[in-house]
Amino acid sequence: MTTTPSATSGIADDSAELLPIATGARTRAALRTLIRPDRGRAILGLGVLVGATAVGLLVQPLLGRIVDIVADGRPADALTLPVVLLLVVAVVQGVTTTLGLTQVARLGETVLARLREQFIERALQLPADRLERAGAGDLTARVTGDVARVAEAVRSALPEMARSVLAIVLTLGAMALLDVRFLLAALLAVPVQALTARWYVTRAVTVYADQRVANGAQQQQLLETIGGAVTVRGHRLEEQHTEKSAARSRRAVELTMRSVHLVLGFYARLHIAEYIGLAAVLVTGFFLVRDGSVSIGTATAAALYFHSLFGPVNAALVLLDDAQSAAAGLARLVGVTDLKESAVRLPHQRTGSTSEAAVTVDAVSHAYGPGRTVLHEVSLTLRAGEHVALVGTSGAGKSTLARLVAGVQQPTGGTVSVAEGKTAPSVVLVTQEVHVFTGTLADDLRLARPDATDADLRTALATVHALEWAEALPEGLATVVGEGGHRLDPARAQQLALARLVLADPPVAVLDEATAEAGSAGARTLERSAEAALAGRTALVVAHRLTQAVAADRIVVLEAGRVVESGTHDELRTADGPYAALWHAWSGSRAAPHL
């Protein structure tokens, strides 16, 4: 798709309108919605993990029993039963834990896949101008870094967090069963842990959110600097762009170091809580044993219970780090998936199929931002089967109007209506920048019509005069093309795109300089391919060469975002207007085509 370059030619815009970030409440609501279809699996996984954790809590009492047997001086064979039970507990806990974690992992991967699908679906629907305002770096950071962080949390943090929380709750309950005073002693660590968690969370949310934004800005700067390298070098802007890249990198590093210092302070406070809790349980055990309230084995079991909490408690609190980071990433993903329908690309307005007008553009205006209006109340009607060529100087608004008619973008004013057709999609856009997808040539073609047979593919290729070279490829239609495969030159890649257009068979086709990449040598061949692909369709063609305009049923001339002329080639050529000037300038060094 052709984009409108910024006036700064690759200089990152600090005032870019970033894509939205969901609030915490909205993120939690979206997460519940994602999980709802798999509630059964969630309940099963949680139930199995509860059972596994409960079985594991038998270890401490059994060890306490062994301590009592030794302290009482009982014979060695009295140890047989506790030891055998310890082995049974280990086996049962291992099996049930594996089953539970498997269910939790499957749940997480399913939810993550659902989130990815929603994100990609909504991201692909975003209007081009919305992406341009946000910058490519923001979307790139979300689809790479944020998705990776959420995926990492789902695969590692989620199962560990579930197991840790269950272990904490059930272990505290087991301590209360031994003696409620052990529980009360253990709870002395809770205020320190709670204050630590609060101290961390209140700081981490902001730090990680800012870090994501900084990483997105850094990627945006790098993408624009590299993408506009020719312009940067041409205007001797290397030092300015290097300094901007360095500044944004320093900002990202600064926020990363802040997060490191935050984690170090977090761990230090956790160690204090562990010391307070364990000391309290040991002192409580000492007094209870001295008073004869509990046995040495029971006090040992209580101390072991609390010591066993070190791992789950620390894991749960440490996982707050991953949870906060993942939550920040999730909020950025939900911010895109939760965009209002008015913010994404909507279908065209539909008119009755009995109308003679296939496409009606009514007083359409479009702006890429304040002060960047490119179309001014343009009105245009394409009759069914009519081929209309758009011509005009660079920057006249031709590509913008083409994208509005194709539905790739929505106008900021006015409406675009398309007559109801029997096929979907009703309008297909082919630009000069086409993509050859990695896979076989047949698979690439079937993107337009998945149920197409090999015969259909050959017919489409033959229509656009591409069958001969396609069958001459090393493996014919089974040849792998795209990245890492057989390389197609620009002209053949464009013929492939036109063949997809034939397979999609839309009633309306929009060609935005679709023959521009062929160069002079392949121009005529590609123009013939385009003419064949458009046969029998309503077509709007942004003419790269005026020979395309000559062949059109009607020519519409745009100038500064307004329609200034409309008519046939002969009418406009003799009218001594803007088109005549373009024609004379273009054909001055060429022999006029036979009309």
PDB file of all heavy atoms in Angstrom, residues 123-143:
ATOM      1  N   ALA A 123      -5.622  -4.963  14.037  1.00  0.00           N
ATOM      2  CA  ALA A 123      -4.495  -4.196  13.503  1.00  0.00           C
ATOM      3  C   ALA A 123      -4.583  -4.099  11.986  1.00  0.00           C
ATOM      4  O   ALA A 123      -4.288  -3.049  11.399  1.00  0.00           O
ATOM      5  CB  ALA A 123      -3.174  -4.828  13.916  1.00  0.00           C
ATOM      6  N   LEU A 124      -4.998  -5.186  11.327  1.00  0.00           N
ATOM      7  CA  LEU A 124      -5.124  -5.167   9.875  1.00  0.00           C
ATOM      8  C   LEU A 124      -6.279  -4.280   9.414  1.00  0.00           C
ATOM      9  O   LEU A 124      -6.309  -3.853   8.264  1.00  0.00           O
ATOM     10  CB  LEU A 124      -5.330  -6.585   9.346  1.00  0.00           C
ATOM     11  CG  LEU A 124      -4.115  -7.517   9.435  1.00  0.00           C
ATOM     12  CD1 LEU A 124      -4.492  -8.925   8.996  1.00  0.00           C
ATOM     13  CD2 LEU A 124      -2.963  -6.985   8.581  1.00  0.00           C
ATOM     14  N   GLN A 125      -7.225  -4.013  10.301  1.00  0.00           N
ATOM     15  CA  GLN A 125      -8.361  -3.161   9.950  1.00  0.00           C
ATOM     16  C   GLN A 125      -8.087  -1.681  10.190  1.00  0.00           C
ATOM     17  O   GLN A 125      -8.882  -0.839   9.794  1.00  0.00           O
ATOM     18  CB  GLN A 125      -9.601  -3.575  10.759  1.00  0.00           C
ATOM     19  CG  GLN A 125     -10.145  -4.942  10.386  1.00  0.00           C
ATOM     20  CD  GLN A 125     -11.290  -5.370  11.293  1.00  0.00           C
ATOM     21  OE1 GLN A 125     -11.416  -4.881  12.419  1.00  0.00           O
ATOM     22  NE2 GLN A 125     -12.129  -6.257  10.813  1.00  0.00           N
ATOM     23  N   LEU A 126      -6.959  -1.368  10.845  1.00  0.00           N
ATOM     24  CA  LEU A 126      -6.676   0.029  11.148  1.00  0.00           C
ATOM     25  C   LEU A 126      -6.458   0.819   9.863  1.00  0.00           C
ATOM     26  O   LEU A 126      -5.744   0.360   8.968  1.00  0.00           O
ATOM     27  CB  LEU A 126      -5.432   0.137  12.035  1.00  0.00           C
ATOM     28  CG  LEU A 126      -5.588  -0.306  13.491  1.00  0.00           C
ATOM     29  CD1 LEU A 126      -4.242  -0.289  14.176  1.00  0.00           C
ATOM     30  CD2 LEU A 126      -6.565   0.599  14.222  1.00  0.00           C
ATOM     31  N   PRO A 127      -7.047   1.989   9.767  1.00  0.00           N
ATOM     32  CA  PRO A 127      -6.807   2.813   8.576  1.00  0.00           C
ATOM     33  C   PRO A 127      -5.334   3.192   8.478  1.00  0.00           C
ATOM     34  O   PRO A 127      -4.642   3.347   9.486  1.00  0.00           O
ATOM     35  CB  PRO A 127      -7.679   4.060   8.839  1.00  0.00           C
ATOM     36  CG  PRO A 127      -8.670   3.639   9.880  1.00  0.00           C
ATOM     37  CD  PRO A 127      -7.980   2.609  10.711  1.00  0.00           C
ATOM     38  N   ALA A 128      -4.863   3.349   7.246  1.00  0.00           N
ATOM     39  CA  ALA A 128      -3.457   3.673   7.043  1.00  0.00           C
ATOM     40  C   ALA A 128      -3.075   4.980   7.709  1.00  0.00           C
ATOM     41  O   ALA A 128      -1.990   5.108   8.272  1.00  0.00           O
ATOM     42  CB  ALA A 128      -3.161   3.740   5.540  1.00  0.00           C
ATOM     43  N   ASP A 129      -3.974   5.985   7.674  1.00  0.00           N
ATOM     44  CA  ASP A 129      -3.623   7.263   8.281  1.00  0.00           C
ATOM     45  C   ASP A 129      -3.526   7.160   9.794  1.00  0.00           C
ATOM     46  O   ASP A 129      -2.753   7.887  10.428  1.00  0.00           O
ATOM     47  CB  ASP A 129      -4.619   8.354   7.868  1.00  0.00           C
ATOM     48  CG  ASP A 129      -6.060   7.956   8.158  1.00  0.00           C
ATOM     49  OD1 ASP A 129      -6.345   6.750   8.213  1.00  0.00           O
ATOM     50  OD2 ASP A 129      -6.905   8.858   8.323  1.00  0.00           O
ATOM     51  N   ARG A 130      -4.310   6.234  10.396  1.00  0.00           N
ATOM     52  CA  ARG A 130      -4.204   6.048  11.854  1.00  0.00           C
ATOM     53  C   ARG A 130      -2.856   5.464  12.210  1.00  0.00           C
ATOM     54  O   ARG A 130      -2.227   5.865  13.197  1.00  0.00           O
ATOM     55  CB  ARG A 130      -5.336   5.131  12.336  1.00  0.00           C
ATOM     56  CG  ARG A 130      -5.337   4.914  13.860  1.00  0.00           C
ATOM     57  CD  ARG A 130      -5.643   6.226  14.565  1.00  0.00           C
ATOM     58  NE  ARG A 130      -5.605   6.070  16.012  1.00  0.00           N
ATOM     59  CZ  ARG A 130      -4.517   6.260  16.756  1.00  0.00           C
ATOM     60  NH1 ARG A 130      -3.363   6.570  16.167  1.00  0.00           N
ATOM     61  NH2 ARG A 130      -4.554   6.133  18.053  1.00  0.00           N
ATOM     62  N   LEU A 131      -2.392   4.516  11.409  1.00  0.00           N
ATOM     63  CA  LEU A 131      -1.072   3.940  11.643  1.00  0.00           C
ATOM     64  C   LEU A 131       0.017   4.970  11.403  1.00  0.00           C
ATOM     65  O   LEU A 131       1.029   4.986  12.104  1.00  0.00           O
ATOM     66  CB  LEU A 131      -0.865   2.736  10.725  1.00  0.00           C
ATOM     67  CG  LEU A 131      -1.684   1.489  11.065  1.00  0.00           C
ATOM     68  CD1 LEU A 131      -1.421   0.404  10.037  1.00  0.00           C
ATOM     69  CD2 LEU A 131      -1.354   0.986  12.460  1.00  0.00           C
ATOM     70  N   GLU A 132      -0.184   5.808  10.420  1.00  0.00           N
ATOM     71  CA  GLU A 132       0.816   6.830  10.140  1.00  0.00           C
ATOM     72  C   GLU A 132       0.927   7.809  11.293  1.00  0.00           C
ATOM     73  O   GLU A 132       2.019   8.251  11.645  1.00  0.00           O
ATOM     74  CB  GLU A 132       0.462   7.560   8.839  1.00  0.00           C
ATOM     75  CG  GLU A 132       0.679   6.701   7.599  1.00  0.00           C
ATOM     76  CD  GLU A 132       0.059   7.313   6.361  1.00  0.00           C
ATOM     77  OE1 GLU A 132      -0.565   8.392   6.474  1.00  0.00           O
ATOM     78  OE2 GLU A 132       0.193   6.719   5.286  1.00  0.00           O
ATOM     79  N   ARG A 133      -0.218   8.150  11.910  1.00  0.00           N
ATOM     80  CA  ARG A 133      -0.169   9.071  13.046  1.00  0.00           C
ATOM     81  C   ARG A 133       0.518   8.428  14.247  1.00  0.00           C
ATOM     82  O   ARG A 133       1.216   9.095  15.003  1.00  0.00           O
ATOM     83  CB  ARG A 133      -1.591   9.509  13.440  1.00  0.00           C
ATOM     84  CG  ARG A 133      -2.290  10.355  12.401  1.00  0.00           C
ATOM     85  CD  ARG A 133      -3.456  11.127  13.010  1.00  0.00           C
ATOM     86  NE  ARG A 133      -4.420  10.273  13.679  1.00  0.00           N
ATOM     87  CZ  ARG A 133      -5.452   9.701  13.068  1.00  0.00           C
ATOM     88  NH1 ARG A 133      -5.626   9.881  11.759  1.00  0.00           N
ATOM     89  NH2 ARG A 133      -6.302   8.946  13.742  1.00  0.00           N
ATOM     90  N   ALA A 134       0.307   7.134  14.433  1.00  0.00           N
ATOM     91  CA  ALA A 134       0.931   6.436  15.563  1.00  0.00           C
ATOM     92  C   ALA A 134       2.400   6.150  15.306  1.00  0.00           C
ATOM     93  O   ALA A 134       3.206   6.118  16.240  1.00  0.00           O
ATOM     94  CB  ALA A 134       0.186   5.131  15.848  1.00  0.00           C
ATOM     95  N   GLY A 135       2.744   5.908  14.054  1.00  0.00           N
ATOM     96  CA  GLY A 135       4.121   5.540  13.728  1.00  0.00           C
ATOM     97  C   GLY A 135       4.269   4.032  13.703  1.00  0.00           C
ATOM     98  O   GLY A 135       3.667   3.309  14.517  1.00  0.00           O
ATOM     99  N   ALA A 136       5.088   3.543  12.793  1.00  0.00           N
ATOM    100  CA  ALA A 136       5.276   2.098  12.653  1.00  0.00           C
ATOM    101  C   ALA A 136       5.905   1.494  13.897  1.00  0.00           C
ATOM    102  O   ALA A 136       5.671   0.334  14.236  1.00  0.00           O
ATOM    103  CB  ALA A 136       6.141   1.803  11.430  1.00  0.00           C
ATOM    104  N   GLY A 137       6.728   2.269  14.608  1.00  0.00           N
ATOM    105  CA  GLY A 137       7.418   1.731  15.781  1.00  0.00           C
ATOM    106  C   GLY A 137       6.465   1.305  16.879  1.00  0.00           C
ATOM    107  O   GLY A 137       6.699   0.305  17.564  1.00  0.00           O
ATOM    108  N   ASP A 138       5.382   2.056  17.081  1.00  0.00           N
ATOM    109  CA  ASP A 138       4.429   1.724  18.144  1.00  0.00           C
ATOM    110  C   ASP A 138       3.774   0.384  17.880  1.00  0.00           C
ATOM    111  O   ASP A 138       3.712  -0.487  18.757  1.00  0.00           O
ATOM    112  CB  ASP A 138       3.376   2.836  18.235  1.00  0.00           C
ATOM    113  CG  ASP A 138       2.440   2.640  19.423  1.00  0.00           C
ATOM    114  OD1 ASP A 138       2.882   2.105  20.444  1.00  0.00           O
ATOM    115  OD2 ASP A 138       1.258   3.026  19.322  1.00  0.00           O
ATOM    116  N   LEU A 139       3.273   0.178  16.653  1.00  0.00           N
ATOM    117  CA  LEU A 139       2.635  -1.097  16.325  1.00  0.00           C
ATOM    118  C   LEU A 139       3.655  -2.228  16.323  1.00  0.00           C
ATOM    119  O   LEU A 139       3.368  -3.333  16.803  1.00  0.00           O
ATOM    120  CB  LEU A 139       1.955  -1.002  14.964  1.00  0.00           C
ATOM    121  CG  LEU A 139       1.144  -2.234  14.541  1.00  0.00           C
ATOM    122  CD1 LEU A 139      -0.006  -2.474  15.504  1.00  0.00           C
ATOM    123  CD2 LEU A 139       0.608  -2.069  13.126  1.00  0.00           C
ATOM    124  N   THR A 140       4.864  -1.961  15.815  1.00  0.00           N
ATOM    125  CA  THR A 140       5.910  -2.987  15.794  1.00  0.00           C
ATOM    126  C   THR A 140       6.260  -3.434  17.205  1.00  0.00           C
ATOM    127  O   THR A 140       6.424  -4.628  17.482  1.00  0.00           O
ATOM    128  CB  THR A 140       7.167  -2.463  15.082  1.00  0.00           C
ATOM    129  OG1 THR A 140       6.828  -2.091  13.745  1.00  0.00           O
ATOM    130  CG2 THR A 140       8.250  -3.523  15.040  1.00  0.00           C
ATOM    131  N   ALA A 141       6.394  -2.477  18.123  1.00  0.00           N
ATOM    132  CA  ALA A 141       6.730  -2.812  19.510  1.00  0.00           C
ATOM    133  C   ALA A 141       5.641  -3.664  20.153  1.00  0.00           C
ATOM    134  O   ALA A 141       5.922  -4.576  20.936  1.00  0.00           O
ATOM    135  CB  ALA A 141       6.944  -1.539  20.323  1.00  0.00           C
ATOM    136  N   ARG A 142       4.395  -3.392  19.812  1.00  0.00           N
ATOM    137  CA  ARG A 142       3.293  -4.160  20.403  1.00  0.00           C
ATOM    138  C   ARG A 142       3.238  -5.573  19.834  1.00  0.00           C
ATOM    139  O   ARG A 142       3.032  -6.535  20.581  1.00  0.00           O
ATOM    140  CB  ARG A 142       1.961  -3.439  20.141  1.00  0.00           C
ATOM    141  CG  ARG A 142       1.889  -2.087  20.826  1.00  0.00           C
ATOM    142  CD  ARG A 142       0.527  -1.446  20.688  1.00  0.00           C
ATOM    143  NE  ARG A 142       0.569  -0.043  21.088  1.00  0.00           N
ATOM    144  CZ  ARG A 142      -0.369   0.565  21.797  1.00  0.00           C
ATOM    145  NH1 ARG A 142      -1.431  -0.095  22.217  1.00  0.00           N
ATOM    146  NH2 ARG A 142      -0.256   1.843  22.106  1.00  0.00           N
ATOM    147  N   VAL A 143       3.401  -5.696  18.527  1.00  0.00           N
ATOM    148  CA  VAL A 143       3.253  -7.004  17.904  1.00  0.00           C
ATOM    149  C   VAL A 143       4.482  -7.885  18.143  1.00  0.00           C
ATOM    150  O   VAL A 143       4.427  -9.102  17.938  1.00  0.00           O
ATOM    151  CB  VAL A 143       2.986  -6.847  16.397  1.00  0.00           C
ATOM    152  CG1 VAL A 143       4.253  -6.603  15.626  1.00  0.00           C
ATOM    153  CG2 VAL A 143       2.235  -8.057  15.846  1.00  0.00           C
TER     154      VAL A 143
END
